[in-house]
């Protein structure tokens, strides 16, 4: 298969994967809306029943999308692994002569792996894949976490729970503000715009994150956090 055909096939496969993700969310939302309206007490007004159905629709969309991600996440990683290699990719280092040299090589590889995983998972919050998907802008660490420099004093932090295919993105600042769980690009824009205007950056957070978990961010959750 030529490089052009391979690239076309990858693009089609990527579009199909994202189409399945969107369809699953729509199906979950529609099913949730129907069930919510049917389960709402008849004594409620139409507006109240519709509002309740809307809330159930959101929960249904998040739940079905979360289940779909269990299958789609490995497929996304597989597609990235099969993407054509860039000319900037370095070759593997020569075999280590000492244990210290081997440790240094593995540490460097772990940091690169963390950056690669963060860039790959960033499509969850940046579906354009044109900004956060740039692996070269991610800095990986030997504990498997990574950061993406956004502006002076502001970075995006990534931590993965590989056993559950969960990815946590958190906005960190160097001025003592509370870390903010990020689920979409609009939240990052909101935060940076507030800082640029000299206003308090009250986070525009969603009720639930991309994994369907309640959006509660505690300092203890941010293990191995890296300072700005």
């Amino acid at each position: 298969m030529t490089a052009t055909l391979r690239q076309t096939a990858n693009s089609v496969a990527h579009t199909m994967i994202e189409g399945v993700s969107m369809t699953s969310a729509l199906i979950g939302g529609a099913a949730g809306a129907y069930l919510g309206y049917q389960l709402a007490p008849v004594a409620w007004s139409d507006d109240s029943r519709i509002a309740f159905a809307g809330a159930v629709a959101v929960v249904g969309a998040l739940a079905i999308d979360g289940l779909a991600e269990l299958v789609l996440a490995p497929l996304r990683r597989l597609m990235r692994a099969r993407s054509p290699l860039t000319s900037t990719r370095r070759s593997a280092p020569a075999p280590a002569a000492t244990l210290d040299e081997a440790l240094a090589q593995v540490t460097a590889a772990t940091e690169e792996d963390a950056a690669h995983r963060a860039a790959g998972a960033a499509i969850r919050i940046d579906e354009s894949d044109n900004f956060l998907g740039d692996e070269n802008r991610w800095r990986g660490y030997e504990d498997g976490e990574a950061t993406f420099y956004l502006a002076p004093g502001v970075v995006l932090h990534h931590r993965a729970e590989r056993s559950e295919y969960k990815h946590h993105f958190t906005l960190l600042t160097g001025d003592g503000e509370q870390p903010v769980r990020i689920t979409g690009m609009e939240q990052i824009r909101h935060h940076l715009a507030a800082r640029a205007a000299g206003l308090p950056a009250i986070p525009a957070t969603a009720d639930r994150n991309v994994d369907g978990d309640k959006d509660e961010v505690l300092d203890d959750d941010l293990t191995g956090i890296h300072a700005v």
Side-chain angles (χ1 to χ4, degrees), residues 90-211:
R90 296 185 292 106
S91 59
T98 65
L99 182 58
D100 288 341
E101 186 180 346
L103 178 59
Q105 290 182 357
V106 172
T107 298
T110 302
E111 294 172 351
E112 292 181 3
D113 175 74
H116 178 78
R117 289 178 181 275
I123 196 171
R124 292 167 173 259
I125 58 177
D126 178 17
E127 294 188 8
S128 71
D129 204 24
N130 291 326
F131 184 61
L132 296 179
D134 185 353
E135 182 178 336
N136 294 324
R137 293 191 59 179
W138 283 94
R139 176 186 176 186
Y141 298 90
E142 57 186 279
D143 59 3
E145 301 179 6
T147 55
F148 186 101
Y149 174 87
L150 291 167
V154 185
V155 299
L156 183 66
H157 175 270
H158 171 260
R159 175 172 62 88
E161 294 180 25
R162 301 184 187 184
S163 61
E164 299 183 15
Y165 300 109
K166 290 185 177 181
H167 297 268
H168 304 284
F169 292 91
T170 309
L171 198 66
L172 305 178
T173 64
D175 49 16
E177 292 182 359
Q178 180 72 13
V180 179
R181 179 68 54 83
I182 296 298
T183 61
M185 291 295 293
E186 68 280 359
Q187 293 170 282
I188 299 176
R189 188 213 62 81
H190 168 88
H191 189 97
L192 294 181
R195 291 177 68 91
L199 301 174
I202 300 175
T205 57
D207 290 334
R208 291 181 176 272
N209 60 32
V210 290
D211 300 311

Side-chain angles (χ1 to χ4, degrees), residues 16-73:
M16 292 178 63
I17 289 173
E18 295 310 313
V20 171
S21 178
M22 182 178 296
T23 301
S24 65
L26 290 174
I27 292 175
Y34 175 79
L35 291 176
Y37 191 82
Q38 295 299 320
L39 294 175
V42 179
W44 288 6
S45 65
D46 287 342
D47 290 342
S48 297
R49 296 185 71 185
I50 291 174
F52 179 75
V56 177
V58 172
V59 174
L62 290 172
I64 298 300
D65 185 59
L67 291 175
E69 280 299 315
L70 295 176
V71 176
L72 298 180

